[in-house]
Amino acid sequence: MLDLVDEPSSWIPTPRSLTPTDNVLATVNIWKSDAIKFAELPISAEWWRNIILVERSVPLTPAEQSLYTRIANEKSAILGAKNVYRIIIDESSVPLTGATVDDRIRTIERMRHVTKQALANFGFVLVVNPTQQFALSLRDSDSRIKLVAVVTDDLHYGGNHQTLSYANSIITAHHDVDEILMKTGRRFKTANSAEGIYRAIEAEITDLYPKEFNVLLPAYNCWERLPEFDTVDTSITDVVLWLNCGSSETPTVKTTFAEFATDLASVTARIALSEEYFNRYRNLAANLETVNGRSWFIRTVFADGARVKVLYE
């Protein structure tokens, strides 16, 4: 078992030696502007099991390095060499010709068309101690990809907030958890050891797999069996909102989308989710009793491209 430890003053991070068997898709300097192209590797047809590990070439902390090593050597059906493909990130600066701002749109534009097509072969992006938005760029490039972000307890700050706020799941060993992320994160899990973090990653990925029998589940104020539960087709619907107003009174966007979400939340009487989306938004689904909780949920599912069906009571 690996132990998380405080970073010793004498610890000097060094690049890990990689071989072709490490399933390296690409090595990318985030500050350059050259095209990003994936190596041609045999990839499993079960796309939902395939994981891109965004791996820093020089780990920030001992726990991060240990996790990379564990993933490389573990014979796991979920998080093993068969399913994990690496993108090695070089964060060294590029004088004069390099970019100076961490811009995920610029990163997406660097990806060749064939690279974006290749992302359809993956169900997850896994990033450890994110300090930049590269992993988020991959998530934004394919609607099926889910981003799992890990923060080890020997990282002495919270990591890139933009990446964490958009992650599908946050796994952390920190005890002083960011209160905003606790309320707005899609899924949130804490672990107290390196073993706990590794097992939490496996559990989160498994729970976020697509569901074969994607039934509709009650999320807010609809615990009794409603007729719609038997008629809504979850192959084309992810979220169902019941509004306690007439169709002509449905809120519309007047100023900002955030204000629209709050107006819509105030007239939302019931919410149901497909099982897959209930799992995806487990943390948000636990906070639907308040208007603020429903408002943030609505903002998030719309931003993520959920297919929403509106019914009127």
Side-chain angles (χ1 to χ4, degrees):
M1 190 170 94
L2 304 172
D3 294 320
L4 288 172
V5 295
D6 289 332
E7 182 176 350
S9 57
S10 60
W11 184 73
I12 301 175
T14 55
R16 187 171 69 82
S17 177
L18 295 166
T19 69
T21 57
D22 283 309
N23 285 351
V24 177
L25 287 169
T27 298
V28 178
N29 184 300
I30 62 171
W31 304 115
K32 289 185 177 180
S33 299
D34 56 327
I36 297 172
K37 182 182 178 182
F38 288 172
E40 295 183 6
L41 298 175
I43 297 176
S44 167
E46 295 181 317
W47 62 267
W48 61 91
R49 296 182 183 273
N50 296 331
I51 302 163
I52 294 176
L53 173 62
V54 177
E55 180 173 331
R56 191 177 284 103
S57 61
V58 182
L60 287 180
T61 74
E64 180 182 331
Q65 183 163 291
S66 295
L67 188 54
Y68 292 154
T69 303
R70 172 84 182 261
I71 293 171
N73 293 290
E74 190 77 17
K75 298 186 186 315
S76 166
I78 300 163
L79 200 58
K82 178 182 176 182
N83 304 103
V84 177
Y85 299 80
R86 291 173 154 75
I87 295 180
I88 308 303
I89 297 299
D90 177 7
E91 294 180 317
S92 58
S93 60
V94 180
L96 300 178
T97 58
T100 57
V101 178
D102 179 22
D103 182 357
R104 71 178 187 270
I105 303 302
R106 184 183 68 86
T107 299
I108 292 172
E109 290 174 346
R110 289 176 61 191
M111 296 181 194
R112 293 186 176 181
H113 181 63
V114 291
T115 303
K116 294 175 182 176
Q117 287 181 317
L119 288 172
N121 295 312
F122 299 92
F124 293 90
V125 169
L126 172 63
V127 62
V128 183
N129 294 337
T131 55
Q132 31 73 18
Q133 299 181 50
F134 184 85
L136 185 54
S137 301
L138 297 177
R139 177 195 182 273
D140 286 351
S141 298
D142 191 284
S143 61
R144 297 191 302 185
I145 287 179
K146 302 177 185 72
L147 173 60
V148 177
V150 178
V151 180
T152 62
D153 73 344
D154 54 355
L155 184 72
H156 302 308
Y157 57 94
N160 182 270
H161 193 275
Q162 190 83 348
T163 297
L164 294 176
S165 64
Y166 282 96
N168 295 94
S169 176
I170 301 169
I171 300 168
T172 180
H174 280 271
H175 301 292
D176 53 338
V177 174
D178 187 310
E179 290 187 7
I180 295 176
L181 287 174
M182 276 293 290
K183 294 178 180 177
T184 61
R186 291 157 179 79
R187 290 173 64 101
F188 211 101
K189 182 166 285 193
T190 57
N192 296 321
S193 66
E195 177 70 18
I197 283 182
Y198 184 85
R199 296 305 173 193
I201 297 171
E202 287 190 315
E204 288 294 279
I205 288 174
T206 303
D207 212 19
L208 287 168
Y209 281 159
K211 306 303 177 188
E212 184 176 358
F213 302 104
N214 196 23
V215 298
L216 196 66
L217 298 176
Y220 167 64
N221 200 29
C222 55
W223 308 112
E224 70 274 21
R225 187 72 187 178
L226 299 172
E228 292 84 356
F229 276 65
D230 298 318
T231 59
V232 170
D233 183 357
T234 55
S235 69
I236 57 173
T237 303
D238 305 310
V239 180
V240 182
L241 304 178
W242 283 265
L243 307 186
N244 58 11
C245 64
S247 58
S248 61
E249 301 168 320
T250 303
T252 56
V253 179
K254 297 174 183 176
T255 53
T256 65
F257 183 72
E259 187 174 303
F260 162 71
T262 300
D263 292 342
L264 190 60
S266 65
V267 296
T268 298
R270 308 172 192 270
I271 300 175
L273 307 172
S274 69
E275 183 182 3
E276 185 174 331
Y277 267 67
F278 192 94
N279 283 335
R280 184 178 292 196
Y281 299 104
R282 188 175 293 276
N283 192 51
L284 296 180
N287 296 293
L288 295 175
E289 294 296 328
T290 66
V291 171
N292 282 341
R294 294 195 296 278
S295 174
W296 192 262
F297 169 81
I298 289 168
R299 288 173 63 179
T300 304
V301 297
F302 272 100
D304 286 351
R307 298 165 298 179
V308 179
K309 184 179 184 68
V310 175
L311 302 173
Y312 296 91
E313 294 198 319

